[in-house]
Amino acid sequence: TTIHLSKLLQGRTFHKRAPVAVKKIKAFAGKLMKTNDNRIDSSLNNFIWHQGVKGVPGRVRVRVQRKVAEQQNESASRQRKRLYTVTSLVPVASFKGLLTKKAESA
């Protein structure tokens, strides 16, 4: 999925752009996957911050995956499965003509 960050950060103070971009990506992933625990991969974090706090890229292509958290105790089979979302970077040369693809669960 492509996230249009410049649209989400329009008019934002320069020293808040990268932190707000991270929060917006987490909110996007939570809304898409219906989870409260949303995590950003280090490659995506580096891509957002690589031009500094105010030089956030205009668009970013991401892969959003919902995963099951591992339980610590023995009664894990009775409890509800805890889900979390991992958002990672998909490097692309151009954003033209890209469509959203739904991956099959493995």
Side-chain angles (χ1 to χ4, degrees), residues 15 51-52 71:
H15 72 277
Q51 293 175 343
Q71 296 291 333

Side-chain angles (χ1 to χ4, degrees), residues 27-95:
F28 174 83
K31 191 172 181 182
L32 186 69
M33 293 293 182
K34 297 178 177 61
T35 57
N36 292 328
D37 186 5
N38 304 303
R39 304 171 189 180
I40 288 189
D41 191 43
S42 62
S43 62
L44 178 58
N45 193 46
N46 287 336
F47 181 75
I48 292 169
W49 284 88
H50 83 281
Q51 293 175 343
V53 70
K54 65 181 184 178
V56 177
R59 285 182 173 85
V60 63
R61 185 80 172 168
V62 296
R63 175 174 292 120
V64 183
Q65 298 172 316
R66 186 168 44 204
K67 297 186 177 183
V68 178
E70 302 203 5
Q71 296 291 333
Q72 300 271 337
N73 51 11
E74 303 92 29
S75 63
S77 60
R78 292 184 292 155
Q79 288 184 351
R80 209 172 116 221
K81 293 182 180 177
R82 306 292 288 171
L83 298 173
Y84 67 97
T85 301
V86 176
T87 308
S88 55
L89 176 70
V90 177
V92 292
S94 173
F95 292 99

